[in-house]
Amino acid sequence: MGKEEEYQETETESNSSDDEEDEEPERWKKHYSSKHRMLLVGEGDFSFSVSLARAFGSACNLVSTTVDTQDNIAKKYSNGVRNVRELEEKGGLVFYGVDAKEMRDHFFLRTQRFDRIVYNFPHVGFLFPEASYCQIQLNKSLIKGYLSNAKVLLKQDKGEIHVTHKEGDPYDKWDLVKKAEKIGLGLHEIVPFFRGDYPGYENKRAHGSQSDAPFPLGDSSTYKFKPNHSSKFK
């Protein structure tokens, strides 16, 4: 073997070794991986996104959205601006004014497909008493709109749509699973949700004069849905 060939072979082995060293290890936080391309919907003060970014060591796989404007985030949440800044510094994307019921038409999101689409505690706001017919119907409409839009933005092979939801009355009347089935989504799994699994996450009321205050979670679960063709209920 000539000197030039020997050098080229050594250089190739060195480059291969460098590539392997540059490959970031996969990191998990509960159901979510640093290798998942994730869309986080209705993010409030963005503390859930930040919790994942810290666990992953990066936010490069995260796209976080809110229906609020940038100005409203600053007015409503004490840590909102700080959380957004941390997400962006870690490589995440943040979009404002994204309606969960229309997000498939968003100029950027419509070009993307995601492994995981997550909406924690969807709620339209306290327009009527929580257990009233009108309030329940409004929340059911939000759930339906979110699920139908998320289905369009989902990777169809192994993608999952998640909804974290309070259990019991009146939340059971939202008919989450039935709404998903009508849209063509099958229930894959239900797992208990514990806020402590996500250090730094602060669930916020998001509406009214106490928008920055937490609300009692009680018994809550994360519902995981998949397109019917890949569901265990197929």
Side-chain angles (χ1 to χ4, degrees):
M1 179 183 294
K3 289 288 184 182
E4 184 176 349
E5 293 174 342
E6 184 178 354
Y7 171 77
Q8 289 175 344
E9 184 174 336
T10 303
E11 183 180 38
T12 301
E13 290 176 355
S14 176
N15 288 340
S16 176
S17 177
D18 289 344
D19 290 342
E20 291 176 2
E21 290 178 0
D22 290 342
E23 184 72 20
E24 288 290 334
E26 184 174 17
R27 298 185 183 183
W28 284 85
K29 172 53 69 175
K30 295 297 289 183
H31 338 285
Y32 308 119
S33 162
S34 59
K35 300 297 184 183
H36 288 149
R37 178 69 167 163
M38 294 184 61
L39 172 61
L40 302 165
V41 180
E43 264 299 88
D45 73 345
F46 293 93
S47 58
F48 185 76
S49 295
V50 167
S51 179
L52 292 181
R54 290 173 180 173
F56 297 155
S58 168
C60 291
N61 63 318
L62 304 180
V63 178
S64 304
T65 69
T66 176
V67 71
D68 285 316
T69 64
Q70 190 170 4
D71 286 342
N72 280 343
I73 293 296
K75 293 175 183 176
K76 291 171 65 172
Y77 305 111
S78 56
N79 291 326
V81 172
R82 184 188 309 166
N83 288 338
V84 168
R85 185 179 301 118
E86 181 173 345
L87 278 176
E88 292 179 337
E89 287 174 351
K90 284 180 163 61
L93 293 177
V94 173
F95 291 104
Y96 303 95
V98 178
D99 187 331
K101 304 188 301 297
E102 300 175 357
M103 59 187 183
R104 65 184 172 188
D105 297 323
H106 185 268
F107 74 94
F108 175 78
L109 299 181
R110 68 186 182 191
T111 68
Q112 307 296 303
R113 295 298 177 265
F114 298 92
D115 299 293
R116 298 290 184 271
I117 303 178
V118 182
Y119 197 167
N120 292 323
F121 304 104
H123 201 283
V124 296
F126 301 95
L127 304 176
F128 303 96
E130 188 75 312
S132 70
Y133 175 81
C134 291
Q135 185 71 47
I136 290 171
Q137 292 304 117
L138 288 171
N139 283 316
K140 287 171 72 171
S141 177
L142 173 61
I143 287 289
K144 179 181 177 181
Y146 162 67
L147 292 173
S148 60
N149 275 259
K151 184 183 177 186
V152 173
L153 301 178
L154 191 68
K155 289 183 180 178
Q156 294 298 304
D157 49 354
K158 297 181 180 179
E160 294 180 7
I161 298 170
H162 293 186
V163 180
T164 300
H165 187 49
K166 295 177 73 169
E167 301 286 7
D169 188 68
Y171 308 101
D172 294 346
K173 295 176 182 176
W174 294 16
D175 295 331
L176 174 59
V177 176
K178 289 182 180 179
K179 284 281 184 288
E181 289 174 348
K182 289 181 179 179
I183 293 167
L185 297 169
L187 179 63
H188 170 62
E189 188 179 20
I190 305 174
V191 294
F193 177 87
F194 301 105
R195 189 180 66 172
D197 290 335
Y198 303 94
Y201 171 50
E202 299 179 0
N203 56 296
K204 301 292 187 179
R205 291 178 66 87
H207 305 282
S209 60
Q210 295 183 312
S211 57
D212 201 31
F215 58 88
L217 294 182
D219 293 330
S220 301
S221 301
T222 297
Y223 288 69
K224 303 179 182 181
F225 298 99
K226 292 184 177 181
N228 272 334
H229 64 78
S230 59
S231 169
K232 69 178 181 180
F233 290 97
K234 181 178 176 181

